[in-house]
Amino acid sequence: MSEWKTFTHDAAHDGVDPRIAGGRLTVDLDALVENYRLLQRRAAPARVAGVVKADAYGLGASRVSPALWRAGCRTFFVALPQEGIELRAALPQADIYVLNGTFGPEAAPAFAAHRLMPVLGSQADISCWEAFGWNDGGTPRPCAIHVDTGMNRLGLTPEEAHAFAADNALTGALTPRLVMSHLACGDDAGHPLNRRQRESFQAVSRIFDGIESSLSNSAGIFLGPDFAFDLARPGIALYGGQPFDGGDNPMRAVATLEARVVQVRRARAGETASYGAHGVLSRDTVIAVVSTGYADGYHRASSFAGVPLRRAVPAGGHGFVHGRRVPVLGRVTMDLTLFDVTDLGPEGVTVGDWIELFGHNVPVDEAAAAAGTISYEMLTSLGRRYHRRYVGGDG
Ligand SMILES: *Cc1c(COP(=O)(O)O)cnc(C)c1O
């Protein structure tokens, strides 16, 4: 009797046994490391951290983070304490910052137990860490300070940051190791807010003398050396997403998503396909039915017809199979998606083939745009029903 691996949310993240999986996700750790190195060259002499929140943008933080560590990455950012706890198990030595703040006194022991550094982004965070951020020996535990320079999401105002710096210089209550801010429009190189945020952050970083400073996400790294400061914090570019609007994507594709063909069927011109009968066939059509749908994160908005978004963005999603792009037909459903594979000819696609939904041939940014969203959301919505395989990464 063979053993069937079933999905568990375990450290290996390899999901479902490939023989019984409806879709498969391949993560190329060599491409990830190449992306890390490219970002290092662009950001130098600044160091480059890895942003691995949301399970490394859906690709599996327990596999992605050690690959980055082996490439020389020593500093990691997660959003939530729970993510930090999981990352600590994979990387005992890393510096781990938790972006979303302290979560109050009840969460403080979790930070202590796993040596996580909160990014303090409000007066409440500062008070919490002043009260609870102490080692048994009476020394304050390290943290980061987040200063808002135009995002209005998290962070002290520059005025609060000045006041804090002056106070803390006297009391020594906290030992910040990093001062950071976050760009709102880094992907739009011409946006005037970029320069304003950089100037505002420069003034703030000066008052935190001797402490590392960090402003740039993926996009910021491409805005030039003025934006590099001491530490860059890329996420999406590591995972192959296009870091800025327009032009060619300098990053290598890291994630490839493929769906299994479970039926090939023929339909006549004039018939319709999928829910709502919106996919009206203009010709005799060969339909490949794949075992992946919106429950797997292949958004319903990728439908070729019958969803409101198609009025704004005329084309839906495309797959890629045997050297050709093939359009989604009608609505994407929960567990199944239809592709029009007529142009591949009668023997073109057979049951058991795999159709690429994004990867080397359909960039993840394109697949996301067809669903009215961005690569970030496409990757972080990847479902739990895939077989996941990791290639490369020398270990
Ligand atoms: C998510 C995030 C990043 C990484 O952003 P990318 O655009 O994916 O490079 C960096 N800094 C902060 C504060 C973030 O929330």
Side-chain angles (χ1 to χ4, degrees):
M1 269 248 319
S2 64
E3 290 285 311
W4 298 98
K5 264 184 290 174
T6 52
F7 170 74
T8 48
H9 192 119
D10 63 7
H13 280 283
D14 49 5
V16 178
D17 185 297
R19 292 169 295 174
I20 54 172
R24 68 184 178 203
L25 178 72
T26 306
V27 178
D28 182 345
L29 296 174
D30 286 338
L32 171 86
V33 164
E34 263 191 54
N35 288 341
Y36 180 73
R37 300 219 162 103
L38 172 70
L39 296 169
Q40 269 187 318
R41 289 194 295 277
R42 297 293 305 227
R47 299 193 302 122
V48 177
V51 178
V52 295
K53 61 195 181 187
D55 202 22
Y57 291 40
L59 302 187
S62 67
R63 302 296 296 269
V64 161
S65 306
L68 292 174
W69 174 270
R70 287 192 294 275
C73 182
R74 293 293 174 264
T75 304
F76 293 82
F77 289 84
V78 294
L80 308 176
Q82 178 61 31
E83 295 173 340
I85 291 170
E86 287 167 22
L87 182 59
R88 175 55 77 211
L91 295 179
Q93 316 272 337
D95 284 342
I96 302 175
Y97 289 105
V98 178
L99 287 165
N100 286 11
T102 60
F103 287 20
E106 289 183 341
F111 283 86
H114 302 277
R115 288 173 288 122
L116 310 177
M117 294 184 280
V119 178
L120 309 179
S122 65
Q123 296 290 8
D125 276 343
I126 287 179
S127 305
C128 174
W129 206 241
E130 281 176 350
F132 296 95
W134 297 84
N135 287 314
D136 293 341
T139 50
R141 280 195 259 107
C143 58
I145 302 289
H146 192 158
V147 182
D148 180 57
T149 53
M151 179 83 178
N152 263 316
R153 190 173 66 170
L154 295 175
L156 307 177
T157 65
E159 296 70 34
E160 288 171 329
H162 273 81
F164 165 76
D167 271 5
N168 199 57
L170 293 175
T171 63
L174 295 182
T175 49
R177 299 236 321 243
L178 180 75
V179 58
M180 58 166 271
S181 191
H182 190 45
L183 295 168
C185 310
D187 53 351
D188 178 0
H191 201 291
L193 188 53
N194 292 327
R195 190 176 51 80
R196 291 209 301 276
Q197 287 198 266
R198 175 174 57 73
E199 287 169 0
S200 169
F201 185 63
Q202 219 145 27
V204 165
S205 74
R206 257 184 242 119
I207 57 170
F208 288 92
D209 198 26
I211 295 171
E212 269 197 317
S213 56
S214 175
L215 177 62
S216 283
N217 63 342
S218 298
I221 292 172
F222 293 88
L223 290 176
D226 289 358
F227 285 80
F229 291 89
D230 301 314
L231 181 71
R233 307 186 311 270
I236 196 67
L238 291 171
Y239 310 115
Q242 166 119 355
F244 44 77
D245 291 345
D248 289 336
N249 185 359
M251 313 316 299
R252 278 191 56 187
V254 172
T256 301
L257 179 60
E258 297 163 294
R260 177 196 295 275
V261 176
V262 292
Q263 267 198 28
V264 178
R265 46 194 306 133
R266 273 146 235 282
R268 297 220 168 272
E271 293 179 7
T272 63
S274 196
Y275 288 127
H278 290 284
V280 183
L281 307 180
S282 59
R283 58 176 178 179
D284 291 354
T285 300
V286 184
I287 301 172
V289 183
V290 303
S291 182
T292 290
Y294 59 74
D296 303 292
Y298 196 62
H299 297 255
R300 184 171 176 277
S302 309
S303 301
F304 222 84
V307 291
L309 181 68
R310 288 287 77 80
R311 289 195 276 275
V313 183
H318 282 82
F320 190 88
V321 60
H322 299 320
R324 257 182 194 273
R325 285 163 61 84
V326 290
V328 171
L329 192 56
R331 280 187 184 154
V332 174
T333 72
M334 184 185 291
D335 316 293
L336 296 161
T337 301
L338 311 182
F339 285 92
D340 179 346
V341 296
T342 315
D343 290 342
L344 275 87
E347 305 304 325
V349 176
T350 52
V351 169
D353 282 349
W354 296 83
I355 295 187
E356 177 186 309
L357 304 184
F358 61 75
H360 290 282
N361 301 293
V362 181
V364 62
D365 291 278
E366 185 203 315
T373 184
I374 55 175
S375 57
Y376 300 70
E377 191 178 31
M378 201 80 193
L379 293 177
T380 56
S381 355
L382 287 167
R384 295 283 166 208
R385 300 195 293 190
Y386 299 120
H387 170 60
R388 290 172 176 239
R389 54 181 186 178
Y390 291 85
V391 298
D394 53 79

